Every structure is written in structure tokens, then in C-alpha cells.
Amino acid sequence: MRKALLTRKSTETEISVEINLDGGGTCNSNTGVGFFDHMLDQLARHSNIDMKISCAGDTHIDDHHTVEDTGIVLGKSLSKALGNKKGIRRYGSCLLPMDDALVRAALDLSGRPYLAWDFAFPTSKIGTFDTQLVREFFQAFSTHGGITLHVDALRGFNSHHLAEAAFKAVARSLRHAVETDPRQQNSIPSTKGRL
């Protein structure tokens, strides 16, 4: 069963994340940050990973801790659900258009965290959401999920479209990477014998 349930409590946030890698992409997200919940829904839907995410955070200060800490717990949940990674495809990539936005994502579930981020938003806010937090989420997610992740905005002038295209591109990449490879079901996808 490629599932995980993790919780994390600090003085800033209290988070619960439940995921099923073999789901249908359903999402039940309640972080108290509307735009972020919309992005998490995109991540679940387009990765085909079921996600239940709840967070009570100090949003009276700002959304930073909620977004970053959710990325931490979601990354750890992904790593736990993958287990020893036997049989997975490991790599995934996507070139995703969304209206004016074109975003490229590529990832490796290598266990070696790294984020390469070449992304500029034309505005500092999407509604009340700070666009800097998109990078903060993916930094936390890649670090705690053990993911090498590259995300590039190739073009776009609408910040909402750019952010959504980033989440969808990462989701589509993740969908391919976590899938079981029918030709290598009993193998670790590495010449080292482990990931």
C-alpha cells in the first residue's frame, strides 16, 4: 500500500497530511489560504495522488509558515509512501501551457534534494497571496521529499496562470515518476541498488 499519514505540530502550525499514490487525484485541502488550497487541488488532480491536507497556521501573521510547513509535511509523506521506491519510474517531466504561461518541470525521486528555480512573477501578489511563497512551497517539498526538482517559467504575463502552470507541471511530472514501471516492477531504478 503506497500510502502515508503524517502530522506535524509546532508553535506556528498544526498540519495533517494523508496521501495515496495510487488514488484518482481527489483532494480535500483546508489550509486557511484560499489560493494555496486551489494550487494543492491542482497538484493532487494532475498527479493522480489522493491528498487530504489540513493546516491550522498563524495566518494572522502571514501565510508563510502555513505554505512552507505544508510543503515539509507533504514532502515527507511522499517519501514515506514511496518506501524503498522499488518499481517506480523515478523520473518525470512536463512542458505545460496554460493560456499565456508556459512552464517546464523535471524531477528525479533520487533521494537527493535540490531545487533549481528559474521563475519570475510579474506581480508580487495573486489576490492576497504572496507569489514568493510558490518557491517556498516547492523548496520545502523537494527538500523533505528527497526530490531533485527543476522548474522554469519559459513565458507568461499573468501571475495566477504562471503559478497554476507550475503546480500542474510538477504534478504531471510527479504522476509519471511515482508510477510503477511494468518492465521493472521488482527493481530499484538505480545502478546503486538503492535510492
Side-chain angles (χ1 to χ4, degrees):
M1 300 293 280
R2 301 192 314 157
K3 298 179 180 180
L5 170 61
L6 289 179
T7 59
R8 181 180 192 265
K9 185 174 182 178
S10 72
T11 57
E12 298 166 342
T13 58
E14 185 171 349
I15 300 173
S16 173
V17 171
E18 184 176 355
I19 66 170
N20 176 5
L21 299 184
D22 301 308
T26 62
C27 184
N28 183 349
S29 174
N30 184 10
T31 66
V33 181
F35 182 76
F36 185 46
D37 285 335
H38 178 47
M39 294 300 101
L40 292 171
D41 186 42
Q42 302 306 318
L43 188 64
R45 179 76 49 89
H46 293 279
S47 67
N48 245 13
I49 297 172
D50 289 344
M51 299 182 187
K52 291 181 185 176
I53 301 168
S54 65
C55 177
D58 56 1
T59 53
H60 62 283
I61 296 172
D62 69 9
D63 299 336
H64 186 107
H65 297 139
T66 292
V67 173
E68 181 179 32
D69 290 2
T70 299
I72 290 170
V73 182
L74 190 58
K76 287 181 176 181
S77 297
L78 176 69
S79 180
K80 181 178 178 183
L82 284 168
N84 68 1
K85 303 177 186 171
K86 181 185 278 187
I88 66 167
R89 294 187 187 275
R90 177 179 168 179
Y91 298 99
S93 63
C94 179
L95 184 63
L96 194 130
M98 183 174 174
D99 301 335
D100 56 287
L102 182 63
V103 173
R104 177 177 56 214
L107 59 82
D108 176 10
L109 301 176
S110 62
R112 297 185 303 275
Y114 182 82
L115 177 66
W117 183 259
D118 186 3
F119 218 98
F121 285 100
T123 63
S124 62
K125 298 278 188 181
I126 302 168
T128 60
F129 186 83
D130 185 348
T131 54
Q132 289 182 344
L133 295 181
V134 177
R135 185 190 187 285
E136 290 299 319
F137 170 79
F138 285 118
Q139 181 68 68
F141 179 63
S142 63
T143 297
H144 294 274
I147 304 165
T148 297
L149 176 61
H150 294 250
V151 185
D152 304 303
L154 302 179
R155 66 177 57 94
F157 55 79
N158 182 292
S159 292
H160 186 130
H161 294 164
L162 283 161
E164 191 164 335
F167 275 85
K168 287 177 175 178
V170 171
R172 296 295 294 191
S173 302
L174 196 57
R175 178 178 179 164
H176 186 76
V178 303
E179 283 180 345
T180 302
D181 184 343
R183 294 171 57 194
Q184 297 292 328
Q185 292 181 26
N186 297 312
S187 300
I188 304 292
S190 171
T191 55
K192 297 179 183 71
R194 60 174 294 173
L195 286 170

